[in-house]
Amino acid sequence: MMTAFARTVILYFLIMVGLRLMGKRQIGELEPSELVLTMMISDLATVPMQDFGIPLLAGVIPILTLLSLSMLMSQLSLGSVRFREMVCGTPSILIREGVMQQAVMRENRYTLDELLEELRGQGYSDLSQVRYAILENSGKLSVLPWAKHTPLTAQALGLSVEEDAALPVVLINDGRVLEKNLSACGRDIAWLQKALEDRGIASPAQVFLMTVDESGTVCCVKKEEQE
């Protein structure tokens, strides 16, 4: 039992480290080579977990080899546009200047229903509103509307607006004081305690979330009482 537990933990953390090296992506945003790598690693990891007769290194070495190969391909892709196109492919334009490219859709096996669904998901129910629709390498559809259907912005209206305050910094997370963040924004425990007292809160343990931005605006959410 302990052998199975130890082997599973080792392989789990090995795979987690490897996937972190690949970068932060969701499954739907993986390039084809990254998706294949993820599937192969998952298969390689299950064998040593289930069969104790197979040495742990028989699973670790192939996984490390695949991760090394993936990092090598990433470096080659950064240095060579041609290699990147060969491995990752290139985006496909499904709608060009308002006209559906039916041959390109057939080439990518992209159905009309899928196209309409993606357009509706991005707020375009009418094809006449779309100037370009580009199928990215990750499978995501990027939509560029005609200028007359582009949402209005302050710049388009000639309005001058002030920038919002910078990203708020989390000071308390579910009752835990993040002292590193507190110091980074120039506050201390005394300031935090005063801010809590002003809101009728006796202890950080009663706070679910507390943030502060550069303008000094504090947002504080108390914990809900458990029944």
Side-chain angles (χ1 to χ4, degrees), residues 114-146:
E114 290 172 326
L115 177 62
L116 294 175
E117 179 183 350
E118 287 292 332
L119 292 177
R120 287 195 299 269
Q122 298 194 40
Y124 299 99
S125 58
D126 190 346
L127 283 173
S128 64
Q129 299 176 338
V130 179
R131 184 178 183 183
Y132 287 101
I134 305 169
L135 182 62
E136 307 291 355
N137 294 336
S138 63
K140 180 181 178 181
L141 190 71
S142 299
V143 181
L144 305 177
W146 292 97

Side-chain angles (χ1 to χ4, degrees), residues 30-42:
L30 293 177
E31 301 288 356
S33 60
E34 295 171 335
L35 181 59
V36 170
L37 173 68
T38 304
M39 295 173 65
M40 291 180 67
I41 287 178
S42 64

Side-chain angles (χ1 to χ4, degrees), residues 64-91:
L64 291 177
T65 301
L66 287 174
L67 292 174
S68 300
L69 182 60
S70 174
M71 295 179 67
L72 175 62
M73 292 180 65
S74 297
Q75 290 299 321
L76 292 175
S77 297
L78 289 174
S80 172
V81 175
R82 183 171 298 179
F83 182 82
R84 182 163 64 246
E85 291 178 352
M86 180 182 67
V87 174
C88 302
T90 55

Side-chain angles (χ1 to χ4, degrees), residues 51-212:
D51 191 346
F52 298 159
I54 299 177
L56 184 59
L57 285 177
V60 172
I61 291 177
I63 290 175
L64 291 177
T65 301
L66 287 174
L67 292 174
S68 300
L69 182 60
S70 174
M71 295 179 67
L72 175 62
M73 292 180 65
S74 297
Q75 290 299 321
L76 292 175
S77 297
L78 289 174
S80 172
V81 175
R82 183 171 298 179
F83 182 82
R84 182 163 64 246
E85 291 178 352
M86 180 182 67
V87 174
C88 302
T90 55
S92 301
I93 301 179
L94 305 185
I95 298 180
R96 184 192 297 270
E97 294 293 340
V99 179
M100 284 191 294
Q101 307 299 300
Q102 298 181 33
V104 178
M105 291 179 63
R106 285 194 296 269
E107 180 182 338
N108 287 273
R109 292 176 293 281
Y110 205 86
T111 66
L112 181 59
D113 291 335
E114 290 172 326
L115 177 62
L116 294 175
E117 179 183 350
E118 287 292 332
L119 292 177
R120 287 195 299 269
Q122 298 194 40
Y124 299 99
S125 58
D126 190 346
L127 283 173
S128 64
Q129 299 176 338
V130 179
R131 184 178 183 183
Y132 287 101
I134 305 169
L135 182 62
E136 307 291 355
N137 294 336
S138 63
K140 180 181 178 181
L141 190 71
S142 299
V143 181
L144 305 177
W146 292 97
K148 61 183 178 181
H149 296 294
T150 302
L152 290 176
T153 63
Q155 182 179 11
L157 295 173
L159 300 177
S160 177
V161 295
E162 295 183 359
E163 292 290 341
D164 294 334
L167 186 68
V169 177
V170 178
L171 302 181
I172 300 179
N173 182 338
D174 197 7
R176 296 181 295 272
V177 177
L178 305 182
E179 296 184 7
K180 182 178 179 180
N181 291 357
L182 191 63
S183 300
C185 63
R187 267 76 172 183
D188 54 20
I189 294 295
W191 176 90
L192 181 67
Q193 192 61 46
K194 176 70 165 52
L196 293 176
E197 291 175 358
D198 291 343
R199 290 163 177 79
I201 301 173
S203 168
Q206 300 175 334
V207 178
F208 185 68
L209 173 67
M210 182 176 182
T211 64
V212 63

